[in-house]
Amino acid sequence: MTKIGILLASTRPGRVGDQVARWVEERATARGDAEFAAIDLRDHPLPHLEEPPGFSGRYQDERTRAFAAVIASCDGFVFVTPEYNHSVPGVLKNALDHVHVEWNTKAAGFVSYGGVGGARSVEQLRLVCGALQLADVTPQVTLPLTTEFENRAVFTPGDHQLAALDTTLDHVVAWSTALAPLRGGDVEAAVRGRLDEIIEALRAKDLDALRRVYAPDVVSFDVEPPLQHVGVDAKLKNWAKVFTIFEKVDYELRDLTVTASGDLAVGHGFGRVSGTLPTGQAVTGMWVRATFVFRPVGGEWVIVHDQASVPFDLASGRGVADLEP
């Protein structure tokens, strides 16, 4: 089902935007034609932009990665935004700039509030949406502080605003659904992000983090016996063995290609486990051919199958472990 994020763009103390966002969410969740999820920027305290350009979908800061995962999980957005000094809140612009591919080929609608209903904030947001490949819909909801808020503090919208909100939601859902065939890049970014999580978890020797990346019934064809490891516990047992061998673990993934279609994504490339033994000896490891198959489970892309293979010499029947990609 199409998933729409309702993004609250104000983080100020004493904000009234949370009242507006709840109004939008309550009306939206009664529809039944899409899934709606609240996104509060207070829950994502991003630093002032400290990331390199995010066109690759790979981010250095864990706060950025967490925010990117939330944005990637949505097919469209309703921005609930105030107007500050004829413009958008700085925290919203910062959030928009932190990630890139996760916004692409999705739809955006606007519910704004302020002195003139937040209209000038939306004017600028539409320009930003164009740069982010967000299809902004024409209908919008504007909520003047003088008419829709009692004492400029308590949200009391007129009934006519419901019709405006319904029309906006209609367009956001329709456009988000229509753009679905173009969003292969969203899946690729999510898959690459999950593989980044594996690398970080291996380096940290974090089995709990690894468990979140695999489906409970994952089937793994590894270079170690047996022929297959069935279930996440068997897969983690294999990684736990690696952790006992190495004092420090490293993992490299090279030449990764990701292909996605529908609810299936496949990544393939070359992987290498290396590290340092308890004796201090460095072990470079060997390159293997790595394949990962992903499916969405509970809104997250997880590995349902992976395979590591080593070329072998036909004449001797022995594996060839000294090849470089």
Side-chain angles (χ1 to χ4, degrees):
M1 179 178 286
T2 299
K3 181 178 179 181
I4 308 298
I6 301 171
L7 191 148
L8 175 53
S10 172
T11 59
R12 269 185 171 175
R15 65 184 181 181
V16 296
D18 50 352
Q19 301 174 54
V20 180
R22 282 195 300 270
W23 174 72
V24 174
E25 186 178 7
E26 289 171 2
R27 188 69 173 181
T29 53
R31 295 171 59 90
D33 59 349
E35 176 188 354
F36 293 87
I39 304 172
D40 189 340
L41 289 185
R42 277 189 179 175
D43 298 329
H44 298 278
L46 298 166
H48 189 68
L49 194 58
E50 297 175 0
E51 290 277 356
F55 304 121
S56 68
R58 304 180 70 175
Y59 306 105
Q60 298 177 0
D61 194 295
E62 63 180 34
R63 293 166 293 184
T64 305
R65 290 195 294 272
F67 181 64
V70 170
I71 300 306
S73 71
C74 296
D75 302 299
F77 304 92
V78 176
F79 291 95
V80 178
T81 179
E83 177 182 316
Y84 294 162
N85 299 316
H86 290 219
S87 186
V88 300
V91 67
L92 174 57
K93 185 62 167 64
N94 189 50
L96 288 166
D97 291 343
H98 254 79
V99 300
H100 186 84
V101 296
E102 292 79 6
W103 298 114
N104 295 172
T105 60
K106 300 177 181 181
F110 309 100
V111 176
S112 61
Y113 58 95
V116 291
R120 292 168 296 202
S121 176
V122 172
E123 285 180 0
Q124 297 201 15
L125 269 177
R126 291 187 186 278
L127 295 174
V128 177
C129 285
L132 292 173
Q133 300 179 47
L134 271 167
D136 55 306
V137 304
T138 299
Q140 68 185 70
V141 182
T142 54
L143 304 166
L145 289 175
T146 54
T147 61
E148 309 302 322
F149 294 81
E150 184 178 340
N151 297 322
R152 303 173 68 91
V154 179
F155 185 44
T156 55
D159 291 341
H160 65 284
Q161 295 289 3
L162 289 175
L165 177 58
D166 288 342
T167 302
T168 300
L169 293 173
D170 287 344
H171 282 244
V172 171
V173 172
W175 276 93
S176 298
T177 304
L179 290 169
L182 302 179
R183 285 198 291 272
D186 293 351
V187 176
E188 179 175 349
V191 165
R192 289 181 180 274
R194 297 300 265 175
L195 292 172
D196 285 343
E197 290 179 37
I198 289 180
I199 294 172
E200 291 180 11
L202 291 176
R203 290 171 176 169
K205 293 187 174 182
D206 190 340
L207 289 174
D208 289 334
L210 285 170
R211 181 180 293 274
R212 293 192 290 270
V213 179
Y214 295 101
D217 56 351
V218 61
V219 176
S220 179
F221 294 169
D222 211 332
V223 292
E224 285 195 297
L227 286 174
Q228 63 179 5
H229 306 268
V230 180
V232 67
D233 289 334
K235 181 65 182 179
L236 295 182
K237 183 178 180 181
N238 212 27
W239 282 127
K241 182 179 179 181
V242 173
F243 294 165
T244 62
I245 295 173
F246 291 100
E247 183 71 23
K248 294 180 65 177
V249 181
D250 197 7
Y251 184 80
E252 299 170 75
L253 190 56
R254 186 178 293 181
D255 298 341
L256 177 67
T257 298
V258 178
T259 303
S261 178
D263 65 347
L264 189 69
V266 178
H268 61 84
F270 303 101
R272 178 170 69 174
V273 176
S274 60
T276 305
L277 301 178
T279 61
Q281 178 184 353
V283 178
T284 58
M286 64 179 179
W287 288 101
V288 300
R289 298 170 295 194
T291 302
F292 309 90
V293 181
F294 288 80
R295 284 189 184 276
V297 176
E300 297 283 352
W301 286 87
V302 295
I303 296 175
V304 295
H305 173 66
D306 66 2
Q307 177 171 335
S309 64
V310 178
F312 72 97
D313 178 69
L314 284 173
S316 65
R318 294 183 177 179
V320 181
D322 58 353
L323 298 179
E324 292 279 337

